[in-house]
């Protein structure tokens, strides 16, 4: 049995007030997203293509750096960075979150841009090299925990 269920929320992938298909306790993502630039809802070709799909979505690799020591705290990739929202306007972390990270707070720095798949692969390479060199991951990366 299939049924449509209307939801009213916004999640990190940009799904806002989406419809969900429910089938015997399983569900697929909604059928539209809100364009962050225009604010208009857009149809999505596949309800399974969302922000975490390793596809061709514009993505950036970033690092979080300790504000006083410049020590790397985290390496990551996001579709909600400066590439999407403009310089110094990333939406991955709030100012309050950055201020409370690590001992001295963190600053967000865009490293490079590409597709979600490219940045995911590159991030894993960078983290592997970091661990090989220092014996552990940067303190705010969850790898290996």
């Amino acid at each position: 049995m299939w049924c449509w269920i209307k939801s009213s929320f916004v999640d990190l992938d940009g799904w806002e007030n989406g419809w969900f298909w429910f089938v015997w306790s399983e569900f697929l993502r909604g059928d539209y997203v809100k364009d962050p630039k225009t604010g208009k809802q857009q149809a999505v070709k596949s309800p399974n293509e969302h922000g975490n799909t390793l596809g061709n979505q514009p993505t950036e690799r970033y690092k979080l750096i300790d504000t006083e020591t410049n020590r790397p705290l985290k390496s990551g990739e996001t579709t909600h960075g400066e590439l999407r929202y403009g310089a110094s306007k990333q939406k991955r972390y709030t100012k309050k979150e950055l201020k409370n990270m690590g001992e001295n707070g963190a600053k967000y720095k865009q490293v490079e841009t590409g597709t979600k798949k490219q940045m995911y692969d590159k991030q894993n390479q960078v983290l592997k090299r970091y661990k090989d060199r220092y014996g552990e991951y940067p303190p705010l990366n969850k790898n290996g925990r």
Side-chain angles (χ1 to χ4, degrees):
M1 179 176 164
W2 293 83
C3 64
W4 283 104
I5 297 180
K6 177 80 171 157
S7 82
S8 56
F9 71 94
V10 178
D11 73 6
L12 293 177
D13 299 324
W15 296 89
E16 181 172 336
N17 296 324
W19 289 92
F20 290 83
W21 275 107
F22 277 87
V23 184
W24 301 316
S25 80
E26 295 178 351
F27 69 93
L28 298 173
R29 296 296 295 251
D31 62 344
Y32 62 81
V33 295
K34 182 177 179 183
D35 184 291
K37 294 179 182 171
T38 64
K40 294 181 182 177
Q41 292 177 351
Q42 293 180 317
V44 176
K45 291 179 185 171
S46 166
N48 293 324
E49 289 185 20
H50 55 80
N52 289 330
T53 302
L54 293 178
N56 294 321
Q57 308 92 310
T59 304
E60 69 185 45
R61 197 166 66 78
Y62 67 89
K63 58 184 173 180
L64 298 179
I65 303 167
D66 185 287
T67 55
E68 289 185 18
T69 65
N70 284 328
R71 188 178 117 225
L73 298 174
K74 181 176 182 176
S75 174
E77 44 86 14
T78 183
T79 57
H80 295 277
E82 295 176 346
L83 176 67
R84 184 174 185 176
Y85 296 104
S88 300
K89 295 181 183 176
Q90 58 83 23
K91 304 272 188 240
R92 177 65 180 87
Y93 300 99
T94 65
K95 290 179 183 177
K96 184 177 180 180
E97 286 175 316
L98 290 171
K99 183 179 178 182
N100 294 323
M101 284 183 184
E103 296 174 12
N104 306 307
K107 55 186 169 184
Y108 180 99
K109 182 176 182 195
Q110 181 188 75
V111 178
E112 64 183 318
T113 62
T115 67
K116 183 78 170 176
K117 172 95 171 93
Q118 291 169 333
M119 296 300 99
Y120 176 83
D121 292 342
K122 181 70 176 204
Q123 174 193 353
N124 287 326
Q125 292 170 7
V126 167
L127 288 172
K128 183 181 181 324
R129 272 197 318 261
Y130 187 96
K131 185 174 184 203
D132 290 346
R133 185 173 186 181
Y134 298 105
E136 61 186 6
Y137 292 105
L140 298 181
N141 278 100
K142 294 180 182 175
N143 306 56
R145 293 184 196 162

